[in-house]
Every structure is written in C-alpha cells, then in structure tokens.
Amino acid sequence: DAIALVEEIEKGEPLITASCKEHIIHLVRRLQEKLEEKEDHKFYLFKVLRAHILPLTNVAFNKSGSRFITGSYDRTCKVWDTASGEELRTLEGHGNVVYAIAFNNPYGDKIATGSFDKTCKLWSTETGKCYHTFRGHSAEIVCLSFNLQSTLVATGSMDTTAKLWDIEKGEEVVTLSGHSAEIIALSFNTTGDRIITGSFDHIVAVWEVGTGRLLHTLIGHRGEISSAQFNWDCSLIVTGSMDKTCMLWNAMTGTHIATLTGHSDEILDVCFDYAGQRIATASADGSARVYNAETKECIAKLEGHGGEISKVCFNPKGNRILTASSDKTARLWDAATGHYLQILEGHTDEIFSCAFNYKGDIIITGSKDNTCRIWH
C-alpha cells in the first residue's frame, strides 16, 4: 500500500513534508509498476564497432546509456553515441595505454582516463577538451573511480598507492599509502566519505576520504585481491580474491562477516545488486555464483560458459545477471534461479568487459577482437 508506506516513511523523515507527500506517493507507485513489469527482453546485435586499431581495455556507459566510452592500447579513449553507434570524439594526449576509464555518473559531463603513462586526465564529454592532467604516480594507473558527488576522482596504481584528486582545482588532495603491492581495485561508498582499495598484497584497506586516514585493514584473504565493492547503503563490503573465495565485511567496523566458498579457481570479479541483497561472483573455473547477502547462502550456480568469466554485473533492476567470458560469449541469466536466458555470440576473441545501461535494455560487450558490440 503506497500511501501507508509513505506515511510510515514520513514518521521517521522530517524532510518529507505534506507538500511533497503526493509526489512521493506517485514515485512509489511508479516504482511498484516498474518492479511488476514482466521482463522477457531478448537482446539482438545492433552494431559492431571496429573501435580501435589496437585492443580495447575497457568500456563504460554514462548513466542513461546515451553515450559510452572505450579505452585502448592505441593510447586513446573514444566517445560513442549509443543510439547510432557513431564515434563522437577521440580523446588524445596520453603517451601510453589508456587502461582505466569512467564517466562521473550520474552527471556524465566529465570523463576520467587513467593510463600506463602514470597520469590521469579529466575531459569534457561534450567538447573533448582536457581540463586537467593529474601527475604524481610513479607507475601505471590501473583503476580509477569518481565519487558519486563528482568532486573527486581516485586513481589506483602499480606504485602501491592510491591518490584522490580535486576535480575543480585539478590538484592532488591526498595520497593513500600503506599497501605493500600494486593497487588494482578501488571503490567509493555512496555517501563519499569512505574509499576501499584492493591490492596484490592480499589486503583491502578502508580509508577516510576527507583525511586520507587508514580506518581498517581487511585481512583474511590468502591471495591477490581481484575486486572490492561497497553495497548501496554503505553497510557491507564484498571482496573477491585469487584464493578462490569471496569475503563479506562490516563496512563500519571492518570485521569479517562471512567467507563465501564454492568456486574451484580464482575469483576474478564480484558485485552487489543495487539493493545490496545479492552478491554475484565470477571465477576462472568458468562459473558464476549468486549468494544471498543476508543468509550468505549460495542461491544459484551459473554454469555453461566454456572458459573463465572475467566480469559479472547485475542489471539495475537486479533480476538479470550478465557474464563475460574468455569463451568469446557473454551470457544473460535469471538472478533468482540461475537459469541462463540468452547467449550473446559473435565476438571472435575473449570478452573482457560488459555493461548494462541504466534502463537495462542495452548491453555493451568489449572484446580482445578489437570490437565493441551494442546489443538491444
């Protein structure tokens, strides 16, 4: 009952006044409609983009999915129009591989590129102008992320440090040092006051963004960290490791909650759904798994790929899972049952990147075959 729900929220939320109550009831009803929509969307290949002359490194959407970007060994990042599949601009200026790329979602007016040339550049999505070049790392930048507030960009490097940079001023804010090996994963929480870094030293560190203070070290994995993420309400952290396990941690205290086991080889990627209720893992054993974040039970095994799965993601609604594999295919699965729904075939080499747009009706896959495919 939408009205009862909003009245319940109203009791505990002083920001919800009588004047905006009607609007919130309307939003809750829209959400109900969305959740009830029957979904049997079949994806078809819309376009193959011969994106770069050298292999791609990564692909990323803006929030609405109207634009996406590709990074490449050819030292450029390209901006594409999703609807037409046309190249809008090429961001040139790096002296080496453009490896890590991101939009400042939800805004999408800026792009950050992290390169093996040890710098990170900040660009205008609309004009392609380079606002800033962030210098300071002494080795390759391999991961980066904007905070949701779009005030900072974080870079993680092979030099064992991560750095936070001020987007407006174009200056370094703080260096996060403490790891004893390369940092290959980093992630802000939703509120933007914490950031986690995952390293080849087997440790995930939790840092306070404002001060750069080390708050917690999540110690327990026995292999390199491959991936680490907060859930949406910032209460949990999930980590995946080469030790074949995935671990769940209390984000506030840094204490270990559970170890999710079952994979027979390295875990290459982990993620939460938006609601933070489910966790998906992708492994070199060729399978993916879905765990319930509350009960820690494995609720589904996604089996069928003929090679390692390097990427896994939920659609925004949380009812579908997409996996990208070295078997040259991507697969779509039902998140609740683990049944496979569709195989996206056609790439001629391994797929290392896949993404949904925010509506969940467009998929992009990036492959070692130097192409990017748009599926509708």
Side-chain angles (χ1 to χ4, degrees), residues 335-376:
T337 63
H339 291 315
Y340 102 89
L341 303 168
Q342 208 184 334
I343 303 182
L344 307 181
E345 300 180 276
H347 279 294
T348 58
D349 206 337
E350 67 183 80
I351 302 176
F352 54 78
S353 193
C354 60
F356 279 101
N357 65 338
Y358 188 67
K359 247 183 100 176
D361 59 356
I362 303 173
I363 288 171
I364 288 179
T365 52
S367 163
K368 265 197 175 157
D369 66 12
N370 289 14
T371 74
C372 204
R373 286 174 177 241
I374 307 175
W375 313 77
H376 279 214

Side-chain angles (χ1 to χ4, degrees), residues 6 12 35 58 106 110 121 159 177 180 190-191 195 207 220 226 237-238 247 256 297 311 328 366:
V6 172
L35 290 169
N58 268 307
K110 295 185 181 74
K121 288 179 183 281
D159 68 11
S177 39
S180 60
T190 323
T191 47
I195 186 168
W207 312 82
S226 56
I237 293 166
V238 69
M247 291 189 181
H256 174 269
E297 286 172 325
K311 278 284 185 300
K328 309 175 188 175

